[in-house]
Amino acid sequence: MGLDSPIAPTLGSMPADPQKSASDVISSHWKTSLFRASSQLYAGRRIDIELHQIVAESSRPKILKTIPNETLLQILHSLYSIQDVLSLSLTSHRLHDLLSRPAQRLPILFDAAERQFGPLSSAIPIVTHNSTQPPHIPRPAPPQSLSLLKQLLHIGETANAWADLYPFIHWHGTEDDCASRRLLTEPERYRVRRACYRTWLYDLAFHNPAFARYTRLHRPMVQSRAALLRAWPTHQLGEVLDFQTMMRTVVEVYVCPSNGTIIQRHKERYGELPIVSLHRQGHRPLCCPNNFVRAPPARVSEAWEGWGDDVSHYYVVEDMLKLHPGQMVELYDFVVNGKGKLGMIDGVAMESNKAAVEAFVAGLGEWFENNGETLGETVRFVVGQRGEEEVGGWGDLVLERGFCD
């Protein structure tokens, strides 16, 4: 082949364009070849990825089938809450079948309830309490059943509500308290729930029509109340006192605020503007600043919704502390969060939160009024019998520490 021979045949599809040089044609040819090669490589990788995903998905059920039942049951027994157990059982037919077995379902659910609402040993006496047997006598635990679990769930959710509320009640007031506020650890929540259950049991046993006001200092009555508390260690009695202090704060600040509390809050937010008649707006709390309206002096009204001066308010609080934690949470949710139907009579809302709380208390009976709580004085009586020289100082120390580590 000579120098004058054409080079086009050696490049195959290279066009014989006299305007293009040989280098331009060769560059275009290699670009096309590289694009085709990269496209084929990308398609191959995509196919490999899809095949890998298909193989992985097809192998998952096989891996679950190879796990023994004992391991799956151990996983179910180790879950924290009942909702976790039910959610996990919905992810697999095999897990659902394991939980559906009567011999496995109740133990798994009660183990989860113990972690979520424990100690159940302190909650079960509330469910089994009746007036035929003194509360301090131990009773055999009832057999596990869905009916028992349902009642324990209601009590446990109330106890957890108090554990959620505790940081806002314990660390409030000064700026240092607010800066120290934190969530409770799980051991601390456990102690709050235990104190809640024990306070609840005491209220059911001794804050009822059978214990009238004139019998509160009779020695047989005092001994019967003290018999229940003697079964608990001294530091756990301090936790009960701390829990009662939290309930007292809820009553004084939210459920039954005094006239002085309302006036003080009004001055802090609105200065010297007068207080007008407080009408209930929806389910908002009376202590909420949005219930106070700015108005000219001509519209001043004395019809505020306080619960009396300091002296009369003290006796109101003492009476309200006879309510068990479940009733107190119900009142708190109604007054603060607007939950519940306490303020409804025949479908008509009452004119104020105070009227709704008064109607709730009136439904408990005449024994409730002018008959203060006895838990605090009984705790101090039992601690005094144990040889504590300064019961008041011990109580102050416990209350200052509280449930927190």
Side-chain angles (χ1 to χ4, degrees):
M1 180 180 300
L3 294 177
D4 297 333
S5 300
I7 61 174
T10 61
L11 295 178
S13 61
M14 184 181 67
D17 190 353
Q19 301 298 328
K20 291 184 178 181
S21 63
S23 60
D24 293 338
V25 174
I26 295 174
S27 176
S28 176
H29 173 76
W30 281 108
K31 287 182 180 180
T32 304
S33 302
L34 288 175
F35 176 77
R36 292 176 180 175
S38 60
S39 300
Q40 293 176 358
L41 180 61
Y42 173 77
R45 289 182 177 178
R46 186 176 60 183
I47 293 175
D48 292 340
I49 294 175
E50 293 178 353
L51 290 175
H52 177 73
Q53 293 177 348
I54 294 174
V55 172
E57 293 176 358
S58 62
S59 62
R60 286 172 186 168
K62 295 180 180 179
I63 294 176
L64 185 60
K65 290 180 180 180
T66 59
I67 299 177
N69 288 342
E70 292 77 6
T71 304
L72 295 178
L73 289 175
Q74 186 176 1
I75 294 174
L76 291 173
H77 277 283
S78 63
L79 296 178
Y80 174 76
S81 66
I82 294 179
Q83 185 62 40
D84 293 342
V85 174
L86 299 178
S87 299
L88 183 61
S89 66
L90 297 177
T91 61
S92 168
H93 290 287
R94 187 179 178 193
L95 291 172
H96 185 270
D97 294 339
L98 285 176
L99 190 62
S100 300
R101 299 176 183 178
Q104 304 293 343
R105 179 172 61 247
L106 289 177
I108 292 173
L109 293 178
F110 269 85
D111 283 350
E114 177 65 32
R115 294 186 182 89
Q116 187 177 5
F117 306 118
L120 295 184
S121 58
S122 298
I124 289 177
I126 301 174
V127 177
T128 60
H129 171 73
N130 58 69
S131 59
T132 61
Q133 184 176 356
H136 66 276
I137 298 179
R139 303 181 183 183
Q144 294 180 350
S145 64
L146 291 178
S147 176
L148 175 62
L149 182 62
K150 183 178 180 180
Q151 298 178 71
L152 292 176
L153 289 183
H154 171 70
I155 298 174
E157 288 175 353
T158 301
N160 274 335
W162 281 106
D164 295 335
L165 186 61
Y166 182 86
F168 301 95
I169 300 299
H170 184 72
W171 292 292
H172 79 286
T174 64
E175 294 182 359
D176 293 338
D177 291 335
C178 297
S180 302
R181 183 180 298 164
R182 60 174 177 80
L183 296 178
L184 299 183
T185 62
E186 191 55 39
E188 292 169 349
R189 292 178 64 88
Y190 180 92
R191 293 197 289 269
V192 173
R193 292 195 297 263
R194 179 173 60 193
C196 176
Y197 297 147
R198 291 176 172 178
T199 303
W200 200 324
L201 178 61
Y202 184 94
D203 292 333
L204 291 179
F206 303 113
H207 290 158
N208 55 59
F211 293 84
R213 177 183 180 183
Y214 61 85
T215 64
R216 62 186 298 152
L217 297 180
H218 289 184
R219 187 167 185 81
M221 293 295 183
V222 175
Q223 292 295 341
S224 64
R225 300 198 305 263
L228 175 62
L229 304 186
R230 290 193 184 102
W232 305 331
T234 302
H235 70 279
Q236 294 181 10
L237 291 178
E239 295 171 359
V240 172
L241 274 184
D242 193 15
F243 185 83
Q244 188 192 48
T245 301
M246 178 170 57
M247 292 182 62
R248 183 184 297 273
T249 303
V250 169
V251 174
E252 292 176 346
V253 176
Y254 300 103
V255 179
C256 302
S258 65
N259 293 349
T261 300
I262 292 180
I263 295 175
Q264 180 182 0
R265 290 176 177 174
H266 179 76
K267 289 183 178 180
E268 290 176 354
R269 294 175 173 88
Y270 301 103
E272 298 300 326
L273 290 177
I275 301 179
V276 303
S277 180
L278 303 181
H279 295 289
R280 184 160 177 262
Q281 302 175 1
H283 288 290
R284 308 171 85 143
L286 294 173
C287 54
C288 177
N290 292 331
N291 277 357
F292 298 99
V293 250
R294 298 171 181 250
R299 296 179 56 189
V300 173
S301 172
E302 300 295 332
W304 53 56
E305 294 288 340
W307 288 77
D309 55 16
D310 293 342
V311 176
S312 59
H313 181 253
Y314 168 80
Y315 292 102
V316 169
V317 174
E318 291 295 309
D319 286 344
M320 296 296 291
L321 285 178
K322 295 194 301 295
L323 298 175
H324 62 67
Q327 294 170 323
M328 191 69 71
V329 162
E330 187 178 4
L331 289 177
Y332 175 84
D333 283 342
F334 169 74
V335 173
V336 176
N337 301 322
K339 299 179 180 179
K341 299 181 179 179
L342 293 180
M344 306 292 292
I345 296 183
D346 297 333
V348 180
M350 295 186 179
E351 60 181 8
S352 68
N353 287 340
K354 181 180 179 182
V357 175
E358 288 176 337
F360 176 82
V361 171
L364 300 176
E366 297 181 356
W367 68 275
F368 191 84
E369 297 183 5
N370 298 322
N371 185 14
E373 61 86 22
T374 59
L375 176 59
E377 64 185 37
T378 307
V379 169
R380 287 170 172 81
F381 173 78
V382 172
V383 174
Q385 285 187 331
R386 292 178 177 176
E388 297 287 344
E389 296 180 357
E390 298 181 359
V391 178
W394 168 83
D396 295 340
L397 177 62
V398 171
L399 295 180
E400 181 179 355
R401 176 184 176 186
F403 299 97
C404 303
D405 296 325

